[in-house]
Amino acid sequence: MSERIPDGPRRHLPGSDRPRTVLLRGGEVHSPADPFATAMVVEGGSVAWVGEEGAADSFADGVDEIIQLDGALVTPAFTDAHVHTTATGLALTGLDLAGATTLSDALARIRAHADARPADKILLGHGWDASAWPEGRPPARAELDAATGGRPLYLTRVDVHSAVVTTALLDLVPGIRERAGFHPDAPLTGDAHHAVRKAAHATITPAQRADAQAAALAHAASLGIGSIHECAGPEISGEDDFTALLALAADNVDGGADSGVNSPRVVGYWAELIASAKDAERIRELGATGAAGDLFADGSLGSHTAHLHAPYADAGHTGAGQLDAAAVAAHVAACTEAGLQAGFHAIGDAALTTVVDGARAAADRVGLARVRAARHRVEHAEMLTDHTIAGFADLALTASVQPAFDAAWGGADGMYAARLGADRARTLNPYAALLKAGVPLALGSDSPVTPLDPWGTVRAAVFHRTRAHGISARAAFTAHTRGGWRAIGRDDAGVLVPGAPADYAVWRTGDLIVQAPDERVERWSTDPRSGTPGLPDLTPGNDLPVCLRTVVGGRTVFRRPIE
């Protein structure tokens, strides 16, 4: 098919109050309204009609623009349900060690970055993962001091739950060596990590922050992402960072065609415990949808800070919980009574037990129906058990999950197996069991922990490293589109049907199929007579779709140049 998607005639008169109308035709439109749809009409910010090519002729003379799709695929825009936008932009525009394959490679990149940024007060970087390096260890402090010429450096591990720093940065944080999580020559965790992060981020100027946010939002739009859920909080980013991001993104939706902002929608979560209606009102004043996101019940497996019931296979401890069930219950009850979403970051099985037990106690206090209606959510939710899956289903907790974690760290030789042993590692990220139990799923990236990559995320959910946990492409795609909207309480969006928001993406791709991880299902379900809208073949090794255009609320926020 051709990538060309030329703009058609524009008949809308300046100053007219009539919403602008666009007809897309000659492609494949992924819609439950018509599994064989080839055309769609958008009026203003909403989908007005979806159907087949013959019926599209009747609209052609009454629209302002006709987009000839030339066989391209139109889908709902993706929602990435867990993003750290400023950190993503800093990784895109600064030092990103995700591609470093050895310790020496990482040190060389750090040295080159320091040489290229002589004016930076503090050097910032992200993405190292020593578990994949042949040396098997992160940079030592003396090595970092040498690579930076003695300048302050803050360098987060890929999971952002620990960091290595230079001596010069430690010297800027009074009392750092007495804080919990400080190690003389090892990555910092806990309070020590939070303190150096605060010092490092304090040096980011408003202009640097705005540039990083704009870069991240533009990159997301170029990937067909129409909405992101920003997971912020006092231990992650400041209030100024959060409110500036929401304002920047709002300019796109509300600011008019000349705002100069090309951005997805941004839904903000602020991770702070609340205990009263007054606390809840402060969360709303920040512009947050909920007191949720990365409200830490524990840390991460990679940094040995996730909270486990049994010790790590490669460390003599179980990590540590950052909240107990009483704190979870108080937070969930206060949020429920205030009509606000609650949510937690929980990865280890002990942390997930704490969250479920606390949420159940809140339901006993304020009523199960009210807790279910609030659609509280849990981020990551990796080490689930039958008990906690049943709790998620009973309490209607949304599992906001990141399939790229399994793609990066799953498998017999992956980081999960090293941390937990092969048997426990095989239990992680059980997406099929969650869906079977009726647990709502919303997919995301946790960028910059793993990259913004929506089709790669869907592929990772289908082709799970533990086959029994894989789900169909249709289920994964729904969780990465409509699932993100449902996670914020919107059931009318994330799908291309009349009346839905006109948030969509146009793709260059190959043949469409109905794909499942079970080959017996895959053979029959490719039959078009199934009446199920097809999706690209995501089998590993195949090229992923290329985004040609992204539209948010009827406004084009990304258009790929004609090649």
Side-chain angles (χ1 to χ4, degrees):
M1 86 183 67
S2 168
E3 183 180 349
R4 180 181 60 87
I5 309 179
D7 288 342
R10 300 173 184 266
R11 303 184 181 90
H12 180 46
L13 298 177
S16 170
D17 291 332
R18 181 175 61 81
R20 189 167 177 273
T21 304
V22 178
L23 168 64
L24 299 89
R25 64 183 307 179
E28 301 279 352
V29 179
H30 185 92
S31 172
D34 184 345
F36 307 106
T38 63
M40 180 171 74
V41 173
V42 171
E43 185 173 11
S46 301
V47 176
W49 172 83
V50 175
E52 297 179 44
E53 196 63 27
D57 290 336
S58 63
F59 294 98
D61 289 335
V63 299
D64 302 300
E65 179 181 1
I66 297 174
I67 297 176
Q68 297 290 349
L69 294 169
D70 290 344
L73 171 67
V74 182
T75 71
F78 285 99
T79 293
D80 192 309
H82 193 118
V83 176
H84 304 286
T85 306
T86 302
T88 296
L90 291 171
L92 288 169
T93 59
L95 175 58
D96 185 358
L97 295 183
T101 57
T102 67
L103 172 58
S104 59
D105 179 19
L107 290 170
R109 294 178 186 221
I110 294 167
R111 186 175 294 107
H113 181 76
D115 291 344
R117 306 292 288 264
D120 288 6
K121 293 181 180 179
I122 294 181
L123 299 165
L124 302 171
H126 167 76
W128 59 269
D129 184 0
S131 68
W133 294 346
E135 297 89 347
R137 66 171 180 86
R141 191 158 296 135
E143 292 171 324
L144 295 174
D145 290 345
T148 60
R151 296 167 62 191
L153 167 71
Y154 171 69
L155 189 60
T156 49
R157 191 185 182 277
V158 64
D159 58 14
V160 201
H161 284 270
S162 59
V164 291
V165 302
T166 56
T167 304
L169 180 55
L170 293 177
D171 292 342
L172 296 177
V173 185
I176 185 62
R177 291 167 176 82
E178 284 72 50
R179 286 181 177 262
F182 176 81
H183 306 283
D185 196 22
L188 306 184
T189 59
D191 288 346
H193 177 215
H194 298 157
V196 295
R197 174 166 56 197
K198 183 176 181 180
H201 285 179
T203 67
I204 299 174
T205 67
Q208 285 177 307
R209 180 178 64 207
D211 288 347
Q213 291 175 347
L217 294 173
H219 183 57
S222 75
L223 299 171
I225 297 171
S227 299
I228 65 171
H229 296 178
E230 166 68 12
C231 292
E235 294 186 357
I236 300 166
S237 57
E239 292 183 9
D240 289 347
D241 181 279
F242 183 63
T243 56
L245 172 64
L246 295 183
L248 179 66
D251 284 345
N252 176 64
V253 178
D254 302 322
D258 297 324
S259 65
V261 180
N262 291 318
S263 165
R265 302 175 191 267
V266 175
V267 177
Y269 287 96
W270 186 254
E272 189 170 349
L273 286 172
I274 72 165
S276 66
K278 182 178 180 181
D279 293 341
E281 185 57 32
R282 200 186 75 79
I283 299 295
R284 287 196 177 92
E285 288 173 354
L286 286 173
T289 296
D294 276 336
L295 182 50
F296 296 117
D298 69 345
S300 74
L301 291 166
S303 292
H304 291 102
T305 53
H307 190 202
L308 314 184
H309 283 305
Y312 285 89
D314 60 350
H317 62 82
T318 59
Q322 299 187 35
L323 298 172
D324 59 19
V328 171
H331 182 70
V332 171
C335 286
T336 303
E337 291 178 327
L340 194 67
Q341 273 189 299
F344 304 90
H345 162 120
I347 287 178
D349 51 1
L352 286 160
T353 297
T354 296
V355 168
V356 168
D357 289 351
R360 195 176 297 283
D364 291 341
R365 187 181 309 171
V366 303
L368 177 60
R370 293 179 70 190
V371 167
R372 290 177 60 87
R375 303 193 191 189
H376 303 309
R377 51 191 284 171
V378 181
E379 309 301 316
H380 315 310
E382 294 201 81
M383 290 187 71
L384 289 158
T385 63
D386 290 345
H387 167 75
T388 49
I389 290 173
F392 271 51
D394 188 38
L395 296 160
L397 300 176
T398 295
S400 170
V401 297
Q402 295 76 40
F405 287 9
D406 174 73
W409 302 309
D413 300 321
M415 183 269 287
Y416 290 152
R419 292 289 185 271
L420 303 172
D423 289 344
R424 276 194 295 176
R426 280 192 291 269
T427 69
L428 265 60
N429 302 301
Y431 304 138
L434 285 166
L435 286 180
K436 184 177 180 181
V439 176
L441 289 186
L443 303 192
S445 63
D446 198 10
S447 178
V449 174
T450 60
L452 298 169
D453 180 14
W455 284 113
T457 296
V458 174
R459 171 186 278 172
V462 177
F463 296 97
H464 199 291
R465 302 289 289 273
T466 302
R467 183 175 176 181
H469 298 331
I471 59 178
S472 71
R474 180 184 181 191
F477 178 80
T478 299
H480 212 352
T481 50
R482 198 169 193 179
W485 284 94
R486 286 173 167 166
I488 63 169
R490 291 281 300 272
D491 293 328
D492 61 337
V495 60
L496 299 180
V497 296
D503 288 26
Y504 63 89
V506 182
W507 308 91
R508 180 182 67 211
T509 189
D511 293 338
L512 305 182
I513 64 171
V514 180
Q515 188 169 24
D518 189 324
E519 293 178 358
R520 293 170 300 173
V521 176
E522 191 172 321
R523 280 197 291 271
W524 70 259
S525 64
T526 58
D527 188 336
R529 291 173 296 179
S530 68
T532 301
L535 289 167
D537 185 351
L538 301 176
T539 303
N542 287 355
D543 291 338
L544 292 174
V546 174
C547 185
L548 306 179
R549 181 186 295 236
T550 305
V551 176
V552 175
R555 294 183 54 205
T556 297
V557 297
F558 170 76
R559 182 185 291 119
R560 182 171 296 278
I562 296 175
E563 297 175 353

